[in-house]
Amino acid sequence: MIAAKGTADEARKAQEEYKRRSEQEQWKRFEEHFGKGGGSYSSTSNSNYSENEKTMLKEIYRMASKKFHPDACGDDGSKMKFLTKLKDQWGL
């Protein structure tokens, strides 16, 4: 009986620890996505470009992303990171 109680307490503590860590990880991901203004709603409202300009910028981004993708050009991904930063600044 005592061994079963100890095992149940350990299982309960393990579940609580798992839940705590899961919540921390979920919150971390939330802050990474929304904390830096990276949400899908905030990026569109910050754009100063017309719809035609946005269309052209999207086309430029698509062409450049195909050319500079790490699998296509074989670099460490720095070009793609820079391109993604431009996309965010453009408000696309």
Side-chain angles (χ1 to χ4, degrees):
M1 287 287 231
I2 295 173
K5 183 178 179 185
T7 306
D9 285 341
E10 290 173 4
R12 183 182 52 76
K13 287 180 183 179
Q15 285 177 337
E16 289 173 357
E17 179 67 17
Y18 175 79
K19 182 179 177 184
R20 184 184 65 79
R21 287 185 182 189
S22 296
E23 289 172 350
Q24 283 178 339
E25 184 64 27
Q26 184 179 15
W27 182 251
K28 179 182 167 187
R29 289 181 184 159
F30 177 84
E31 286 182 328
E32 286 175 357
H33 183 71
F34 291 106
K36 299 176 184 173
S40 60
Y41 296 109
S42 66
S43 63
T44 56
S45 63
N46 294 335
S47 179
N48 293 326
Y49 299 105
S50 69
E51 289 303 315
N52 289 336
E53 291 171 333
K54 284 183 183 180
T55 303
M56 288 190 312
L57 288 172
K58 286 179 184 179
E59 186 176 336
I60 291 168
Y61 175 77
R62 276 191 222 108
M63 289 188 297
S65 64
K66 288 177 184 177
K67 182 176 180 176
F68 295 131
H69 193 276
D71 292 340
C73 69
D75 76 339
D76 61 352
S78 59
K79 292 177 185 176
M80 193 65 195
K81 288 178 187 176
F82 176 72
L83 191 59
T84 303
K85 189 187 297 185
L86 282 177
K87 181 184 118 184
D88 291 341
Q89 290 176 355
W90 291 341
L92 301 178

